[in-house]
Amino acid sequence: MDRNTGIWDEVSLSITGPVKIIDPHLVSSFFDGYKRAYLHTTLELENRSGWVAECSLKIQVTTEVENSICLVEHLHTQHLSIPPGARVQYSFPELFFYKPNLWWPNGMGEQSLYNITIATDVEGFGESDMWDHLFGFRKIESYIDSATGGRLFKVNGQPIFIRGGNWILSDGLLRLSKKRYETDIKFHAAMNFNMMRCWGGGLAERPEFYHYCDVNGLLVWQEFWITGDVDGRGDPISNPNGPLDHDLFLLCARDTIKLLRNHASLALWVGGNEQIPPDDINAALKLDLRLHPSFGNDNGNGRVVEDTDPSQYLDGTRVYVQGSMWDGFADGKGNFTDGPYEIQNPENFFKDNYYKYGFNPEVGSVGMPVAATIRATMPKEGWQIPLFKTLDNGYVEEVPNAIWEYHKYIPYSKPGSVHDQVLQYGTPQDLDDFCLKAQLVNYVQYRALLEGWASHMWSKFTGVLIWKTQNPWTGLRGQFYDHLLDQTGGFYGCRSAAEPIHVQLNLANYCIEVVNTTSDKLSDVAVEASVWDLEGSRPYCSVHERLSVPPKMTVTITKMKYPESENPKPVYFLLLRLYRMSDNGILSRNFYWLHLPGGDYTLLEPYRMKKIPLKITSKVISQDSTYEVLMKVENTSKKPNLEDQLHKNNFCHGVGNGALEKLTLDINENKQEARILQKLNRLFSRESNSLKLVETNGVDVGVAFFLHFSVHVSKNVIKEGEDTRVLPVHYSDNYFSLVPGEIMSIKITFEVPPGNTPRITLNGWNFSEDITVL
């Protein structure tokens, strides 16, 4: 950070009475297999008056039962006398909880949080100060795994396979806001990530960031502000003893620890990025991050703790690692063994020799946004797509325009090892064509990355963090949503690959695998694999029934017999579905587009002319400027007499839980569905009177390929380059494909600027139509 920046964050003033509450520290301990838990609380109290303060100190623990109705779990009051001008440390009696609701990372369970309120009343004055914080009962452990050499994390005794990303900061101009944080963290949770690394070249975010990580189950790797490119490892070598003021650095570090330590999501502290702090700072951090000796030594009555300096015992409930490539990360020795940061052949992620170490803290790739974002953020000179220069060795080198270069564009080719992945779909004609093809590559690239890691779960890897998930500016380097908050195809590739229960194709050996990262065994499940060609026929289908998948394991089910069969098609689609045999309920759905070895996807270019009929049913629920739109999309093209297991289990991806999962949007709703909607819509002030239906007049049979919704402000006249998008929008899924007869339900939520009417557009590789839902 520029040392001349001055005050750049919010400044607030608070008024208290004579006694102030300072830096409460909440720690939980567990016994009897997490059935019994204790909450330990210590804090400092400062009497700023000139007389003895007779205090009534109260701690209250509540939990929300339903719809803002709270249950008081504990209420304890203690009397204290604090001398004038004194600052004392106090420990409450341990509070006992039987079978507390545990906090779990995203994908492992609920994010149960208790509200802790501490207040002090002073005799003759009244309430002097109050402090409150959400607290999650969980135990985080971390150690170097002997099987993989990677750092392994456990939460509540369960190993967590880490799939997440590197977070830079919310905004490069430090325009930090609660609303933006909420969107950022929801996006990461929607990608099924379970960890975010706050990179050492950034900052400690505002408390709201960690609050939303608590609420959404994102474990946080918090790095201190040491980074190798400016603190001793740059090229040329930079200041080896940085930062300049060690005392000031430690003062900031200690304040940060006290600010963040009560967050359930905070998983570990790390000294620096690709660098360890100077010896004195490193030693001080190790010393400061110890657990206070008063925890676990309670006599049941609470007490004032004497002769102990609280500034020397700041945490102790999570591990401290000295640097991002040490002690179970990368090679564990600090060598530059993270990365790479460029386009890869998708099948390489599955190969045994792709990455040698157990936990990769940084691996990155491409990040091109949609064309509308380029037009909204760059002058016309930046709308020019790269030149494709063919080299003597047959590879293509991309030559981007100067504006893309400035914005750190990563090419979609790597001459000598990776042929241009965009050109595999045909030569782009303009910006829209290039960006659409880039979204196809983004989806494939990042899905393969995470599926490759999951294929080797626990046998080779303990986790991976992608570099990076977002940009704090309008950069074109690896990202899953752009600075305007529009998602890329890579967002939904990650969402698919990182789901807790997942069916996938190993692109290196063409084996079908089931990944179960949960703590529960999968029993009596089936996997269906169906191949669809560009003519709408299904040349191959197989079903494997009565399967069991142990918890925390990746299991190979079978090797695909297609395309080894006779007369395989050069380009084809593969749909994998994992479902329960008891009710045909789908646990995972995964759609691939593939070509034969040595081929490409150029046959998809004429496939854009196919007109696939779709039926789109929508229902709108709104409150003020907030909208929730429930969509059902059906590919109505079918071959005659097609007996298809697919039609037994229509897919509803991530629409929600409870009533919403049961929602179907048929025109003729039955009474049960109506009751469900009535219950759900009590929360909303306005509901459309009827379902709306749009049917397209396509006459072809085949896959409706790479469909994606977008939301816009409705306008009669649109100027060239004008950005009409409503952002951000939360989609339960997007960039999806439907085989003949298949149905998918999508939930779309967003806010529109006051005074505007939204419209929703559905586009795709072989479909483009505006859908008016309001």
Side-chain angles (χ1 to χ4, degrees):
M1 187 65 62
D2 188 333
R3 293 178 177 83
N4 296 317
T5 298
I7 296 173
W8 56 268
D9 202 356
E10 291 180 342
V11 175
S12 60
L13 300 176
S14 60
I15 299 175
T16 68
V19 175
K20 178 176 175 58
I21 297 170
I22 301 173
D23 298 329
H25 189 191
L26 310 174
V27 175
S28 57
S29 60
F30 297 93
F31 302 91
D32 194 18
Y34 299 92
K35 290 182 180 178
R36 297 189 299 133
Y38 291 90
L39 176 63
H40 311 264
T41 307
T42 187
L43 69 158
E44 292 182 85
L45 297 166
E46 183 177 13
N47 181 3
R48 299 181 174 181
S49 73
W51 62 87
V52 175
E54 300 296 335
C55 298
S56 175
L57 185 63
K58 178 180 69 175
I59 183 169
Q60 177 178 282
V61 183
T62 61
T63 182
E64 184 173 340
V65 180
E66 184 179 5
N67 296 331
S68 300
I69 299 174
C70 293
L71 172 68
V72 177
E73 297 266 356
H74 277 284
L75 177 60
H76 178 84
T77 304
Q78 189 77 26
H79 179 267
L80 293 175
S81 296
I82 304 178
R87 182 165 174 164
V88 300
Q89 186 178 18
Y90 178 78
S91 290
F92 278 102
E94 296 173 342
L95 301 181
F96 173 71
F97 294 78
Y98 180 68
K99 292 185 177 179
N101 298 319
L102 299 179
W103 184 94
W104 291 96
N106 187 31
M108 290 295 295
E110 297 296 322
Q111 289 76 52
S112 300
L113 294 166
Y114 292 76
N115 191 55
I116 314 294
T117 303
I118 299 173
T120 178
D121 288 356
V122 176
E123 187 176 307
F125 182 87
E127 184 175 275
S128 179
D129 199 4
M130 186 182 73
W131 177 93
D132 67 342
H133 203 288
L134 290 176
F135 180 77
F137 281 95
R138 91 290 180 268
K139 181 179 180 181
I140 293 181
E141 303 169 87
S142 180
Y143 55 87
I144 298 175
D145 177 47
S146 59
T148 63
R151 181 159 288 276
L152 188 146
F153 290 87
K154 284 186 175 182
V155 177
N156 304 329
Q158 295 293 328
I160 309 297
F161 189 66
I162 298 298
R163 291 173 292 187
N166 285 266
W167 168 269
I168 309 308
L169 67 155
S170 182
D171 180 75
L173 296 178
L174 303 180
R175 296 166 295 186
L176 311 177
S177 72
K178 179 179 179 180
K179 190 171 185 178
R180 174 105 187 186
Y181 280 140
E182 182 179 17
T183 298
D184 282 321
I185 305 308
K186 278 187 175 181
F187 275 177
H188 284 73
M191 286 187 282
N192 290 310
F193 285 170
N194 54 24
M195 179 176 278
M196 297 173 68
R197 174 194 173 202
C198 290
W199 173 64
L203 46 76
E205 299 285 352
R206 285 183 182 164
E208 293 92 339
F209 173 90
Y210 304 91
H211 164 77
Y212 288 115
C213 287
D214 291 345
V215 169
N216 290 281
L218 274 298
L219 295 169
V220 176
W221 161 331
Q222 182 63 51
E223 226 153 72
F224 293 105
W225 318 284
I226 302 284
T227 181
D229 44 8
V230 297
D231 287 315
R233 300 191 78 180
D235 184 15
I237 296 298
S238 52
N239 177 22
N241 198 39
L244 296 179
D245 189 332
H246 290 200
D247 290 337
L248 179 60
F249 180 94
L250 286 170
L251 180 65
C252 293
R254 288 164 182 151
D255 273 353
T256 299
I257 293 166
K258 288 183 281 188
L259 179 70
L260 304 183
R261 64 189 176 186
N262 294 316
H263 284 280
S265 58
L266 187 61
L268 76 157
W269 305 101
V270 178
N273 166 59
E274 298 178 342
Q275 174 75 8
I276 61 174
D279 290 344
D280 59 324
I281 292 179
N282 199 32
L285 290 173
K286 290 178 181 179
L287 192 67
D288 290 346
L289 288 167
R290 294 175 297 164
L291 185 65
H292 196 283
S294 68
F295 289 118
N297 295 317
D298 180 53
N299 60 12
N301 300 315
R303 67 196 186 286
V304 173
V305 181
E306 300 177 351
D307 301 324
T308 301
D309 181 1
S311 68
Q312 296 300 311
Y313 300 93
L314 300 185
D315 192 358
T317 63
R318 46 185 67 84
V319 69
Y320 169 74
V321 177
Q322 60 186 348
S324 67
M325 298 187 300
W326 280 259
D327 304 325
F329 299 125
D331 74 347
K333 300 174 183 178
N335 297 306
F336 283 102
T337 47
D338 47 7
Y341 306 92
E342 54 203 356
I343 191 74
Q344 303 289 312
N345 290 310
E347 63 272 16
N348 287 355
F349 293 113
F350 295 84
K351 295 178 180 178
D352 290 336
N353 61 355
Y354 177 69
Y355 187 71
K356 295 193 296 184
Y357 309 106
F359 194 120
N360 194 342
E362 296 183 16
V363 56
S365 190
V366 292
M368 193 66 191
V370 298
T373 293
I374 296 296
R375 293 192 178 96
T377 59
M378 296 182 186
K380 283 192 174 181
E381 294 81 0
W383 300 2
Q384 299 299 315
I385 65 175
L387 299 176
F388 298 99
K389 179 181 176 183
T390 302
L391 304 179
D392 292 341
N393 60 4
Y395 286 87
V396 170
E397 177 185 1
E398 289 187 11
V399 183
N401 65 64
I403 295 175
W404 287 20
E405 283 273 20
Y406 178 80
H407 285 79
K408 305 298 181 183
Y409 172 76
I410 294 180
Y412 283 73
S413 66
K414 184 183 177 184
S417 59
V418 182
H419 286 286
D420 196 287
Q421 299 293 288
V422 167
L423 289 182
Q424 288 212 335
Y425 296 91
T427 302
Q429 301 304 305
D430 53 26
L431 180 65
D432 291 285
D433 194 24
F434 180 87
C435 288
L436 177 58
K437 289 171 178 174
Q439 301 320 308
L440 287 162
V441 181
N442 292 345
Y443 192 108
V444 171
Q445 182 78 179
Y446 287 107
R447 177 177 61 180
L449 190 160
L450 290 178
E451 288 184 339
W453 247 264
S455 181
H456 297 282
M457 180 173 65
W458 310 132
S459 62
K460 184 181 176 186
F461 299 131
T462 60
V464 61
L465 299 177
I466 297 174
W467 182 268
K468 49 195 175 7
T469 57
Q470 46 76 247
N471 277 309
W473 69 307
T474 54
L476 301 180
R477 198 171 176 86
Q479 59 187 351
F480 299 130
Y481 56 94
D482 58 48
H483 195 53
L484 303 181
L485 299 176
D486 200 355
Q487 301 96 328
T488 71
F491 184 106
Y492 297 98
C494 287
R495 177 180 176 83
S496 171
E499 58 187 350
I501 298 171
H502 182 62
V503 60
Q504 65 183 38
L505 179 69
N506 185 315
L507 296 178
N509 59 22
Y510 269 59
C511 287
I512 297 173
E513 300 169 339
V514 173
V515 181
N516 180 12
T517 65
T518 74
S519 303
D520 299 319
K521 178 181 178 181
L522 299 179
S523 299
D524 200 27
V525 296
V527 170
E528 175 191 79
S530 59
V531 170
W532 299 79
D533 61 26
L534 299 184
E535 287 73 47
S537 297
R538 192 184 64 177
Y540 174 85
C541 183
S542 67
V543 178
H544 302 269
E545 299 182 324
R546 308 296 176 191
L547 304 173
S548 295
V549 182
K552 310 287 183 183
M553 284 193 66
T554 298
V555 174
T556 299
I557 303 302
T558 188
K559 183 176 175 63
M560 281 282 294
K561 293 184 171 56
Y562 194 97
E564 294 180 355
S565 58
E566 294 183 5
N567 300 317
K569 301 300 175 73
V571 175
Y572 59 96
F573 304 111
L574 171 65
L575 178 61
L576 300 178
R577 298 160 73 99
L578 172 69
Y579 60 93
R580 294 185 299 264
M581 296 194 65
S582 58
D583 60 1
N584 293 320
I586 294 183
L587 300 171
S588 175
R589 173 192 183 275
N590 203 350
F591 182 88
Y592 295 84
W593 48 102
L594 301 163
H595 59 70
L596 295 181
D600 57 31
Y601 294 112
T602 53
L603 285 177
L604 286 175
E605 192 67 45
Y607 191 69
R608 298 171 96 160
M609 305 306 296
K610 286 263 190 179
K611 300 300 179 184
I612 307 300
L614 295 178
K615 181 168 73 174
I616 303 103
T617 314
S618 62
K619 187 173 187 66
V620 181
I621 306 166
S622 65
Q623 181 182 33
D624 300 327
S625 60
T626 300
Y627 288 79
E628 178 178 283
V629 182
L630 307 175
M631 294 279 193
K632 186 179 76 172
V633 186
E634 180 178 0
N635 180 343
T636 56
S637 72
K638 294 182 183 179
K639 284 285 188 181
N641 302 319
L642 182 64
E643 295 181 2
D644 196 344
Q645 179 75 17
L646 294 167
H647 307 310
K648 295 182 181 178
N649 38 38
N650 295 331
F651 187 66
C652 183
H653 189 136
V655 169
N657 51 38
L660 203 53
E661 284 184 343
K662 303 173 185 176
L663 179 65
T664 60
L665 299 177
D666 295 325
I667 289 296
N668 298 316
E669 293 178 288
N670 60 34
K671 293 182 180 180
Q672 180 182 1
E673 290 166 339
R675 287 196 298 270
I676 291 170
L677 283 172
Q678 289 168 5
K679 181 178 179 181
L680 188 147
N681 293 332
R682 290 192 191 107
L683 301 174
F684 296 86
S685 61
R686 183 164 61 90
E687 175 187 341
S688 59
N689 294 327
S690 62
L691 299 172
K692 295 194 175 182
L693 176 67
V694 173
E695 290 189 89
T696 66
N697 296 319
V699 296
D700 295 315
V701 175
V703 171
F705 183 50
F706 216 55
L707 303 172
H708 55 279
F709 285 107
S710 57
V711 183
H712 301 261
V713 171
S714 185
K715 286 191 172 185
N716 293 326
V717 179
I718 301 175
K719 300 176 183 178
E720 182 184 9
E722 183 179 4
D723 190 6
T724 62
R725 289 173 297 169
V726 173
L727 297 172
V729 181
H730 298 271
Y731 304 92
S732 63
D733 204 358
N734 219 353
Y735 291 103
F736 60 96
S737 302
L738 296 174
V739 302
E742 195 178 17
I743 301 170
M744 183 175 288
S745 295
I746 306 286
K747 183 173 79 169
I748 306 172
T749 56
F750 56 91
E751 293 182 25
V752 295
N756 288 278
T757 301
R759 66 182 175 89
I760 295 180
T761 299
L762 180 64
N763 290 286
W765 189 257
N766 52 354
F767 179 86
S768 179
E769 184 145 344
D770 286 350
I771 303 166
T772 303
V773 298
L774 297 174

